[in-house]
Amino acid sequence: KIFEYALGQEKTGMSFFRASIDRMGFGAAIDAFKKLIGEEQRHIDFINRILESLKEKDMVEIPDSKDVAIRETDFFDDRAESEFLEQCIEGSMVPDVTVFNTAWLIEKDLSEFYEKMASQTEGKAKEALEMLSRWEKSHEIFFRKYRDKLSDMYAQMPWGG
């Protein structure tokens, strides 16, 4: 049941990221969210493989480590980050703060859920949940970083022009 719930949460998060692409008005943010959608699909595939092993063998089997290795979560390269923040300032893209805050909360909630469930299990299930928690934690850090940068930028902007 834990993995079925996790699968639903991952799908919900991915749907949010897909819908958020329409709110992003420029390339750097769209590219970052597309990369994140790919990462979320990897989480979904990982959980699906675990669910299949539970149905077939009544035990958790973790896919090969090369398939589930945590990738660097810097979805913006330096140029894209600079472009993204600059365009936010020029366009006063306040909805971006909301999108990044919501994305941060989604990833934070999932990371905490996986961590809590891992503490209540053992063996391969615990190992799988710890892996998922680390993945989500890296995404949480990414979104918190940009949420904080955007919030700071907007707090310092001269409003009322």
Side-chain angles (χ1 to χ4, degrees):
K1 292 295 178 193
I2 291 169
F3 289 107
E4 287 173 354
Y5 176 80
L7 182 62
Q9 292 301 98
E10 292 287 351
K11 287 179 178 179
T12 298
M14 192 164 73
S15 293
F16 170 78
F17 299 129
R18 279 192 177 129
S20 296
I21 286 176
D22 294 335
R23 295 182 68 183
M24 299 295 183
F26 41 86
I30 289 171
D31 289 345
F33 270 74
K34 284 181 179 177
K35 288 177 187 175
L36 185 63
I37 288 167
E39 284 287 303
E40 294 301 320
Q41 185 61 56
R42 288 181 66 225
H43 298 184
I44 289 168
D45 294 343
F46 178 76
I47 294 168
N48 274 327
R49 284 186 263 168
I50 289 172
L51 287 169
E52 287 171 15
S53 73
L54 283 167
K55 285 178 187 171
E56 293 174 7
K57 301 174 186 174
D58 200 29
M59 60 184 275
V60 172
E61 286 187 354
I62 298 175
D64 291 339
S65 60
K66 67 179 175 29
D67 294 334
V68 296
I70 297 174
R71 293 181 181 163
E72 182 63 37
T73 336
D74 189 9
F75 296 111
F76 291 143
D77 60 24
D78 290 341
R79 181 173 171 253
E81 177 181 351
S82 174
E83 174 187 312
F84 169 70
L85 294 171
E86 189 176 299
Q87 288 174 336
C88 285
I89 291 170
E90 290 172 5
S92 297
M93 305 274 298
V94 177
D96 290 344
V97 175
T98 304
V99 169
F100 275 79
N101 189 60
T102 302
W104 168 68
L105 290 171
I106 289 169
E107 300 299 319
K108 181 179 182 294
D109 286 348
L110 272 172
S111 172
E112 290 172 354
F113 168 75
Y114 291 137
E115 189 176 330
K116 181 178 179 182
M117 293 299 102
S119 73
Q120 298 174 16
T121 60
E122 54 190 40
K124 292 289 185 181
K126 179 182 186 89
E127 188 180 335
L129 291 164
E130 287 172 341
M131 290 171 99
L132 287 162
S133 178
R134 285 191 304 273
W135 273 341
E136 298 301 344
K137 187 68 158 174
S138 67
H139 295 169
E140 172 191 342
I141 290 166
F142 170 79
F143 282 112
R144 184 179 59 225
K145 173 183 167 183
Y146 284 97
R147 182 215 51 188
D148 291 350
K149 281 185 178 184
L150 290 169
S151 294
D152 288 346
M153 283 176 18
Y154 292 128
Q156 296 174 22
M157 289 180 90
W159 297 98

